[in-house]
Amino acid sequence: RFEYMLSTLAKVVQHPLYDERICIMYDVGCKVGPAVQNTPCLQVINDAPIAVGIFHITGHTPDCQVKYHPRLMIGYGLKDGEWLERLWSYLNGFV
């Protein structure tokens, strides 16, 4: 279900510049957490914090918002997790 995300994370943890201080942000981060924990090659990041991007968090339940909002978690600072949406918005003008 999250094959692309899990395979990307597997590549990240194999990279020589990988740092154990990784913070994960994904549109459905609340669903990815269990998938990460059940993927043997990602055991090294089982405890990594996972957040949901600012734009997408508003569509989640209140319980999810409290648990996965990046503004309420340590390590995310002011990152909003929506850089790809801004890129798509910019590129839309070329279509």
Side-chain angles (χ1 to χ4, degrees):
R1 188 166 181 183
F2 302 106
E3 291 84 9
Y4 180 74
M5 176 65 164
L6 297 175
S7 65
T8 301
L9 287 172
K11 290 289 187 184
V12 168
V13 299
Q14 293 170 3
H15 196 277
L17 298 178
Y18 162 71
D19 188 316
E20 60 191 30
R21 297 173 294 168
I22 188 172
C23 291
I24 301 166
M25 194 176 296
Y26 192 58
D27 298 349
V28 287
C30 52
K31 306 288 186 203
V32 169
V36 168
Q37 292 178 350
N38 293 327
T39 304
C41 67
L42 298 177
Q43 296 300 311
V44 69
I45 59 172
N46 266 352
D47 297 328
I50 300 177
V52 175
I54 299 294
F55 177 75
H56 292 91
I57 194 74
T58 58
H60 291 246
T61 65
D63 290 340
C64 182
Q65 290 181 26
V66 169
K67 186 173 180 182
Y68 293 99
H69 199 295
R71 298 288 190 271
L72 303 175
M73 300 177 72
I74 296 173
Y76 288 95
L78 294 176
K79 292 179 188 77
D80 64 9
E82 303 300 340
W83 63 269
L84 191 54
E85 279 76 4
R86 283 191 289 281
L87 175 63
W88 292 134
S89 177
Y90 172 76
L91 293 175
N92 194 36
F94 295 101
V95 178

